[in-house]
Amino acid sequence: MGSIVGKAMDDNLAKMQEFQLNTMKMQLERQLQMQNQMRERMMAMQISRARETLNYFGAFYALVAVGGLGATLKRKTPTPILPLVPLTFILAYQYDMAYGTMIQRMREGSEHIISDEYDLLNLPAGLPTFETIEAARLKQKGE
């Protein structure tokens, strides 16, 4: 009789462990999906911000260009349009960030660093462990 009860308990334990494992897998998959969606939303916000910045900077650039050209024609000297030189580089950078291939180049650079220069990504004191986190928590509490 004891072996029947023991076998039933072992079967229930195995079923419970399998259920817990499946639950943990599902929770991990959901966490990964949530983190990926948050990353995508943050990237979309950054791209949108770059496009909005480009709109404002483009308007400023056009204003400087028109004013500089008008002053150049009036004074007969190219000095008023000289600010357009550095502003052109900034405008090109903003355009590349908003609509160009900068994101793809940054992604490729990141993949290169991860695959070929991974040692640059190491944390100074290594990964935090439970013990270090617990010690810091207890120190903060003053225990």
Side-chain angles (χ1 to χ4, degrees), residues 108-132:
E108 290 168 3
S110 299
E111 290 172 356
H112 172 75
I113 290 170
I114 289 171
S115 65
D116 297 338
E117 302 176 44
Y118 194 77
D119 56 325
L120 296 174
L121 303 177
N122 291 335
L123 294 173
L127 284 175
T129 63
F130 174 77
E131 290 79 16
T132 60

Side-chain angles (χ1 to χ4, degrees), residues 11 47 51 53 71 76 89 92 104 107 116 118 122 138:
D11 289 344
I47 292 169
R51 290 179 178 176
T53 302
K76 306 286 187 219
F89 286 102
Q104 286 92 4
R107 185 176 298 121
D116 297 338
Y118 194 77
N122 291 335
L138 292 174

Side-chain angles (χ1 to χ4, degrees), residues 10-20:
D10 287 342
D11 289 344
N12 283 341
L13 180 62
K15 287 180 183 178
M16 183 175 280
Q17 287 175 339
E18 183 180 344
F19 174 76
Q20 287 176 339

Side-chain angles (χ1 to χ4, degrees), residues 18-57:
E18 183 180 344
F19 174 76
Q20 287 176 339
L21 181 63
N22 288 336
T23 302
M24 289 183 347
K25 283 182 182 178
M26 187 184 317
Q27 184 179 9
L28 178 63
E29 289 171 356
R30 286 177 177 160
Q31 286 176 351
L32 291 172
Q33 184 65 28
M34 181 184 68
Q35 287 176 355
N36 189 49
Q37 286 185 14
M38 291 302 293
R39 180 192 59 82
E40 288 173 347
R41 291 175 185 182
M42 289 174 61
M43 287 182 67
M45 284 295 293
Q46 288 176 343
I47 292 169
S48 178
R49 181 179 181 196
R51 290 179 178 176
E52 192 65 25
T53 302
L54 177 65
N55 289 338
Y56 280 98
F57 189 77

